[in-house]
Amino acid sequence: MASTSPPDTTLDSLDADLARADRPVSLAPSPALIAVAAVAMVVSLYAALLYAPTDSFQGNIQRMFYIHVPAALTMYVAVTLIFFASILYLQKRDDRWDEVGAAAAEVGTLFGTVVMITGPLWARPVWGTWWTWDARLTSTFILWLIFIAYLMLRAYGGSPEQVARYCAVLGIIGFLDLPIIHFSVVWWRTLHPQPVIMTEEGLGANLPGSMLAAVALGLLAALLLFTVLFRSRLRVERISRQVLAMRRSLDLFDGENL
Amino acid sequence: MDNFWFLFSGLVLAWAVVFFYIWSLARRTRDLRLQMDAVQAQIERNRGK
């Protein structure tokens, strides 16, 4: 076995790696899905800016509602997805659930960032301040920090197994913040308005029909965008792990052979 | 036109963040494809030895 060529078993393993390497392609969002998401985003922008009526009290700045709220609800979806993926990873120790958690966390951070951008820009003209440490804003900010911590842990956390385990625990902790965020405006006195979509009277019961339609379109567009980005990010995660595994097999870490 | 610039800034910044992320995903996908091709070429070279 003094030859420079790898033993057959390694070649078999690499063949298997190569066969698996084609799988992530199937995760890519189809052109049809991307087109539907793009159309939904354009239509939702039209609904937000032109179709929905101008709020009599807040004026045009209230149109931020059609971006801010769908982004926040999509962030809820991401956190829920991370939670279930984390539970399943800790239970089964299957890397695929860790990949789902990693992809959902990054895309969730994106939607969380949109919430954190649009919120203060809406608050300044209406409340007279960019930020206040009330329960809803603070709990949302904490969730955003948990997202950032999750991504930092992924990047700098150590061995892959350790990172996956710690991230799963952090993903579960992040989910615990979700009911606090949602019910904070009910449990405490806050500047932030009460829920207007998920209310005790029913979904959007207190909203005029045209506003409800515009926010529903915004939510549909945000969920479609989330699906496209999540699948793309999941594919990146799988390819990245595949490349790492193949490079390990080939012992190419020094990069000299590339 | 009330508070137009706040709404405009919110829309532009939100979309800028989304488009930056899409660009970063596309770049990472392309880089990984190049790495995958390089590793596959190395495998073929090793196979030929």
Side-chain angles (χ1 to χ4, degrees):
Chain A
M1 295 300 290
S3 155
T4 51
S5 61
D8 288 342
T9 50
T10 309
L11 274 177
D12 289 345
S13 146
L14 285 173
D15 281 339
D17 280 339
L18 281 172
R20 278 195 298 272
D22 288 335
R23 278 192 323 184
V25 176
S26 63
L27 283 168
S30 66
L33 179 62
I34 294 171
V36 169
V39 169
M41 282 189 284
V42 172
V43 172
S44 75
L45 205 56
Y46 167 80
L49 297 179
L50 300 169
Y51 172 72
T54 305
D55 186 87
S56 56
F57 176 65
Q58 296 185 23
N60 277 322
I61 192 64
Q62 184 271 343
R63 295 179 193 278
M64 202 77 96
F65 172 72
Y66 307 110
I67 297 173
H68 182 77
V69 173
L73 292 177
T74 308
M75 182 180 72
Y76 283 14
V77 170
V79 176
T80 308
L81 192 55
I82 297 165
F83 173 72
F84 284 112
S86 300
I87 296 274
L88 286 166
Y89 175 76
L90 291 176
Q91 198 179 27
K92 299 177 187 291
R93 300 289 164 150
D94 184 338
D95 280 347
R96 280 176 299 182
W97 292 115
D98 183 47
E99 292 166 0
V100 168
E106 202 175 281
V107 183
T109 308
L110 174 75
F111 282 92
T113 304
V114 170
V115 173
M116 299 304 291
I117 288 171
T118 51
L121 282 165
W122 187 5
R124 182 68 182 84
V126 176
W127 297 345
T129 180
W130 297 99
W131 184 266
T132 177
W133 293 101
D134 89 348
R136 169 61 74 89
L137 275 66
T138 307
S139 53
T140 308
F141 182 59
I142 288 171
L143 182 63
W144 188 75
L145 289 180
I146 290 173
F147 271 131
I148 299 295
Y150 189 103
L151 298 184
M152 288 175 72
L153 196 55
R154 286 258 166 225
Y156 311 114
S159 74
E161 295 77 20
Q162 206 175 23
V163 166
R165 204 168 58 246
Y166 290 168
C167 282
V169 172
L170 193 56
I172 292 167
I173 292 170
F175 181 76
L176 299 179
D177 193 26
L178 215 55
I180 298 175
I181 294 175
H182 189 72
F183 292 108
S184 58
V185 289
V186 179
W187 293 340
W188 297 288
R189 281 170 62 87
T190 66
L191 257 182
H192 195 281
Q194 299 283 310
V196 289
I197 295 181
M198 289 189 268
T199 62
E200 286 179 2
E201 291 84 12
L203 273 178
N206 300 326
L207 276 180
S210 51
M211 285 186 169
L212 185 61
V215 80
L217 271 170
L219 182 58
L220 178 70
L223 288 174
L224 284 167
L225 179 65
F226 175 82
T227 308
V228 168
L229 295 178
F230 171 72
R231 289 186 65 146
S232 304
R233 180 61 186 85
L234 192 56
R235 181 178 58 158
V236 165
E237 189 67 27
R238 293 235 171 121
I239 298 175
S240 151
R241 291 178 188 215
Q242 200 69 47
V243 169
L244 197 64
M246 290 165 77
R247 294 181 81 170
R248 275 193 182 131
S249 302
L250 279 168
D251 195 24
L252 290 176
F253 277 112
D254 57 2
E256 287 173 10
N257 293 323
L258 290 174
Chain B
M1 290 298 286
D2 58 324
N3 302 314
F4 168 80
W5 289 109
F6 287 98
L7 180 62
F8 180 77
S9 307
L11 285 173
V12 169
L13 284 172
W15 281 100
V17 168
V18 169
F19 280 118
F20 173 76
Y21 185 68
I22 291 171
W23 171 80
S24 102
L25 262 185
R27 199 192 57 173
R28 275 186 281 176
T29 307
R30 188 203 59 192
D31 289 350
L32 282 168
R33 285 266 173 244
L34 291 173
Q35 286 183 39
M36 179 76 84
D37 289 346
V39 174
Q40 284 179 346
Q42 184 64 38
I43 291 169
E44 292 306 320
R45 276 200 296 276
N46 281 1
R47 208 190 291 274
K49 283 180 184 172

